[in-house]
């Protein structure tokens, strides 16, 4: 027998999982054990919930009585530091199993009677808005006990970020966290990826394509919620690759009232046939906006970037082109002028590379900003695989970020430079008027120098003296003075 057929021993094996109950029990035990063993990982999950920074204790299947019923929550977390103690019950679902509202309300009652702080649910359900629980429960039961939700995608993303990017101090603990990652990434673990747009997807998509979708249709809000869940999932996956926090971009009103976000998506679907969202990527030039046109079958990603505040219009366009050296020719570039309204001047990148002036409608108007967009075909299937909506959106976002966004740098003005002071001799000048003055050399700022050929420098001579690596830093001559004006002589 060859060694290729041997199975390596794992700390958390996936073999021997028989049924959903065994799957949930093993996933719960593995996760809670690693949370208590790897301090950094347990802290990053529990700190946002209000847990103190103490040693985390974890238990599974702790029995409680609620009236005459004997209930067994899947797990319990407890953290103590000084006089402060924080305790939470844990309910876990794996695979396609959904959380049960009646069961959660019973656990909330137990937590209230025991004086616990929270109930945490873990499943493959991804809420449309951060902080919103995917299961609706009686709000009266949330007055004294908080209800939190972790998706398995979020747990896995946090584990990868902690091990690969933030770091774990102890090498053995880092290995233990790596074993949890291996387990959760295995298909048999029950920690599934986002793989379904929901049962209302086909009906809604066909209604949008035919123009018959109404804002009051019951199927539309479900698709809107699944679209936001998809953006959350893609953000988590992209954050795992980048090692940075990537989150959906929502306004304060939408975060406070998730119904506003759902109403906005349903309205755009019924009137324009589009679903639009944005994600925030740490240190990127701006939010990455995703627009899916269900009628045209196109998904478009775009990002806005402010133009340099100095230099002529051509200089500003060339500054952008240097940063788009890896972008495909099919990228659309749009330029907006100061105090202008409506659409700007748009051209494909292949044409702008040959003629930057195509983006300049009026050379006398300063360019305010640019919009870089890239479109691609969108799938129609509700699940995963070739021709699916989920894969086409995820691939479009990853391609747009890798080819365009990660190369963009915001423009910053160069710092002012000190004027050079000429060396003075030890001899005292005979006339006080020969002493150095702050006005020396000022005439050079006002009177253009004559070059050797006797022709004066024309003020409209192109001055594209920017860094060629796209770092966003203009040369000192661009930051101060008029284009084409030489440095003043001291």
């Amino acid at each position: 027998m060859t060694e290729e057929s041997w199975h390596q021993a794992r700390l958390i094996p996936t073999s021997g999982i028989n049924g959903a109950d065994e799957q949930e029990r093993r996933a719960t035990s593995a996760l809670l054990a690693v949370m208590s063993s790897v301090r950094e990982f347990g802290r990053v999950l529990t700190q946002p919930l209000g847990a103190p920074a103490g040693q985390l204790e974890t238990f599974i299947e702790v029995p409680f009585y609620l009236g005459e019923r004997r209930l067994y929550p899947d797990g319990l977390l407890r953290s103590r530091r000084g006089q402060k103690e924080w305790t939470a019950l844990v309910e876990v679902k794996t695979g396609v199993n959904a959380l049960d509202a009646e069961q959660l309300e019973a656990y909330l009652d137990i937590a209230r009677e025991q004086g616990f702080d929270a109930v945490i649910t873990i499943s493959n359900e991804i809420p449309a808005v951060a902080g919103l629980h995917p299961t609706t429960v009686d709000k009266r039961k949330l007055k004294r006990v908080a209800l939190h939700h972790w998706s398995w995608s979020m747990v896995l993303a946090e584990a990868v970020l902690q091990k690969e990017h933030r770091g774990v101090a102890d090498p053995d603990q880092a290995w233990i966290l790596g074993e949890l990652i291996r387990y959760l990434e295995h298909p048999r673990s029950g920690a599934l990826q986002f793989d379904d747009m929901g049962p209302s997807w086909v009906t809604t998509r066909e209604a949008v394509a035919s123009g018959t979708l109404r804002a009051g249709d019951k199927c539309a809000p479900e698709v809107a919620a699944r679209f936001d869940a998809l953006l959350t999932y893609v953000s988590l996956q992209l954050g795992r690759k980048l090692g940075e926090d990537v989150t959906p971009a929502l306004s304060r009103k939408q975060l406070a009232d998730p119904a506003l976000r759902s109403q906005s998506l349903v309205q755009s679907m019924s009137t324009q046939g589009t679903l639009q969202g944005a994600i925030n990527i740490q240190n990127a030039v701006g939010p990455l906006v995703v627009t899916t046109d269900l009628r045209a079958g196109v998904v478009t990603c775009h990002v806005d970037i402010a133009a340099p505040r100095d230099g002529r219009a051509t200089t500003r366009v060339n500054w952008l082109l240097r940063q788009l050296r890896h972008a495909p020719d099919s990228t659309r570039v749009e330029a907006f002028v100061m105090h202008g309204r409506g659409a700007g001047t748009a051209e494909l990148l292949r044409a702008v590379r040959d003629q930057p002036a195509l983006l300049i409608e009026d050379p006398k108007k300063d360019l305010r900003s640019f919009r870089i967009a890239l479109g691609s075909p969108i799938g129609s299937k509700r699940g995963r695989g070739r021709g699916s909506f989920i894969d086409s959106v995820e691939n479009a976002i990853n391609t747009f970020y890798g080819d365009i966004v990660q190369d963009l740098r915001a423009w910053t003005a160069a710092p002012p430079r000190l004027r050079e002071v000429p060396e003075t001799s030890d001899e005292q000048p005979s006339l006080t008027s020969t002493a150095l003055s702050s006005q020396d050399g000022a005439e050079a700022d006002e009177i253009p120098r004559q070059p050797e050929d006797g022709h004066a420098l024309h003020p409209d001579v192109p001055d594209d003296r920017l860094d060629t690596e796209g770092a966003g830093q203009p040369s000192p001559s661009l930051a101060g003075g008029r284009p084409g004006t030489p440095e003043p002589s001291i």
Side-chain angles (χ1 to χ4, degrees):
M1 182 180 293
T2 60
E3 293 188 8
E4 286 87 3
S5 61
W6 297 1
H7 296 285
Q8 186 174 0
R10 292 295 179 196
L11 182 66
I12 313 171
T14 55
S15 59
I17 297 179
N18 298 315
D21 291 340
E22 172 65 21
Q23 195 178 62
E24 290 178 4
R25 190 178 298 110
R26 189 172 300 192
T28 304
S29 182
L31 173 62
L32 299 190
V34 174
M35 287 178 62
S36 63
S37 301
V38 184
R39 182 183 180 89
E40 295 91 340
F41 178 58
R43 184 64 182 147
V44 77
L45 288 178
T46 58
Q47 181 181 13
L49 310 187
Q55 177 61 43
L56 189 64
E57 299 175 271
T58 58
F59 309 87
I60 64 168
E61 296 184 342
V62 181
F64 291 97
Y65 279 98
L66 183 64
E68 297 181 355
R69 291 189 298 168
R70 187 178 177 92
L71 301 177
Y72 293 85
D74 290 324
L76 184 144
L77 301 175
R78 175 176 291 160
S79 179
R80 295 189 181 100
R81 185 176 186 182
Q83 299 297 322
K84 186 175 182 180
E85 179 178 303
W86 178 88
T87 308
L89 298 177
V90 180
E91 172 62 16
V92 176
K93 298 293 183 183
T94 56
V96 296
N97 297 326
L99 297 166
D100 180 73
E102 183 178 355
Q103 187 180 33
L104 295 184
E105 290 178 355
Y107 291 162
L108 288 170
D109 290 337
I110 293 175
R112 185 184 69 254
E113 291 181 359
Q114 299 294 327
F116 295 162
D117 299 273
V119 172
I120 302 172
T121 59
I122 308 174
S123 72
N124 286 306
E125 300 167 87
I126 301 177
V129 178
L132 181 67
H133 201 276
T135 306
T136 303
V137 298
D138 189 349
K139 293 184 179 180
R140 293 174 297 181
K141 298 183 180 294
L142 302 177
K143 292 182 178 180
R144 295 175 56 186
V145 181
L147 181 62
H148 306 287
H149 179 72
W150 297 338
S151 68
W152 282 114
S153 296
M154 186 276 287
V155 172
L156 179 57
E158 290 292 347
V160 173
L161 285 174
Q162 191 64 53
K163 181 179 184 296
E164 302 296 336
H165 303 284
R166 302 183 187 125
V168 178
D170 187 272
D172 292 336
Q173 294 182 6
W175 177 79
I176 292 174
L177 184 57
E179 288 295 293
L180 176 65
I181 294 172
R182 287 180 181 275
Y183 176 79
L184 294 180
E185 288 179 339
H186 197 280
R188 297 188 64 185
S189 69
L192 304 178
Q193 59 183 351
F194 187 91
D195 58 359
D196 193 359
M197 286 300 295
S200 299
W201 168 250
V202 176
T203 303
T204 305
R205 176 178 54 81
E206 292 176 350
V208 169
S210 61
T212 59
L213 182 69
R214 297 176 178 85
D217 290 348
K218 295 182 179 180
C219 61
E222 180 184 340
V223 172
R226 299 297 290 179
F227 177 74
D228 275 339
L230 172 59
L231 289 183
T232 302
Y233 173 79
V234 174
S235 299
L236 291 171
Q237 301 307 306
L238 185 58
R240 287 173 55 184
K241 299 174 183 177
L242 300 178
E244 299 286 352
D245 291 331
V246 180
T247 57
L250 298 173
S251 65
R252 292 183 179 179
K253 291 184 178 180
Q254 291 174 343
L255 289 173
D257 187 2
L260 295 177
R261 169 64 178 168
S262 178
Q263 293 171 5
S264 175
L265 286 176
V266 171
Q267 185 67 22
S268 65
M269 275 195 297
S270 60
T271 57
Q272 304 172 14
T274 61
L275 287 166
Q276 187 179 81
I279 58 177
N280 287 325
I281 303 171
Q282 192 170 0
N283 299 324
V285 294
L288 193 159
V289 182
V290 184
T291 304
T292 59
D293 192 329
L294 301 181
R295 293 174 182 170
V298 175
V299 54
T300 303
C301 299
H302 80 256
V303 68
D304 294 333
I305 181 172
R309 295 191 300 270
D310 293 333
R312 292 171 292 104
T314 306
T315 300
R316 303 182 190 194
V317 174
N318 288 332
W319 168 83
L320 178 67
L321 292 178
R322 279 190 289 273
Q323 301 194 64
L324 296 177
R325 56 188 178 276
H326 299 308
D329 289 339
S330 58
T331 305
R332 189 179 74 250
V333 183
E334 191 170 0
F336 301 91
V337 298
M338 289 287 187
H339 312 296
R341 295 182 179 180
T345 305
E347 290 289 345
L348 291 180
L349 184 57
R350 67 165 66 93
V352 179
R353 280 170 171 158
D354 296 332
Q355 292 180 275
L358 291 175
L359 290 178
I360 305 171
E361 187 174 8
D362 187 351
K364 296 181 180 179
K365 294 182 178 180
D366 291 334
L367 295 180
R368 169 175 51 89
S369 63
F370 300 100
R371 172 168 293 180
I372 302 99
L374 183 64
S376 59
I378 195 172
S380 59
K381 297 180 181 179
R382 58 176 279 189
R384 284 277 186 173
R386 184 176 181 181
S388 71
F389 178 83
I390 297 173
D391 287 346
S392 57
V393 172
E394 185 175 9
N395 293 336
I397 292 175
N398 291 335
T399 300
F400 184 72
Y401 180 83
D403 292 346
I404 296 175
V405 178
Q406 69 178 3
D407 291 329
L408 295 178
R409 302 291 183 272
W411 178 85
T412 55
R417 301 184 66 85
L418 290 171
R419 295 173 59 186
E420 297 180 2
V421 180
E423 297 182 359
T424 57
S425 61
D426 296 337
E427 298 180 359
Q428 296 294 329
S430 57
L431 297 176
T432 57
S433 61
T434 61
L436 181 65
S437 170
S438 64
Q439 298 300 303
D440 290 347
E443 294 81 1
D445 291 339
E446 302 173 359
I447 304 175
R449 293 180 296 178
Q450 297 291 334
E452 295 180 359
D453 59 1
H455 296 286
L457 292 174
H458 195 279
D460 292 333
V461 172
D463 183 8
D464 294 336
R465 288 172 287 179
L466 285 167
D467 58 286
T468 59
E469 293 300 324
Q473 295 281 357
S475 66
S477 62
L478 186 62
R482 299 181 300 274
T485 304
E487 292 288 341
S489 58
I490 304 299

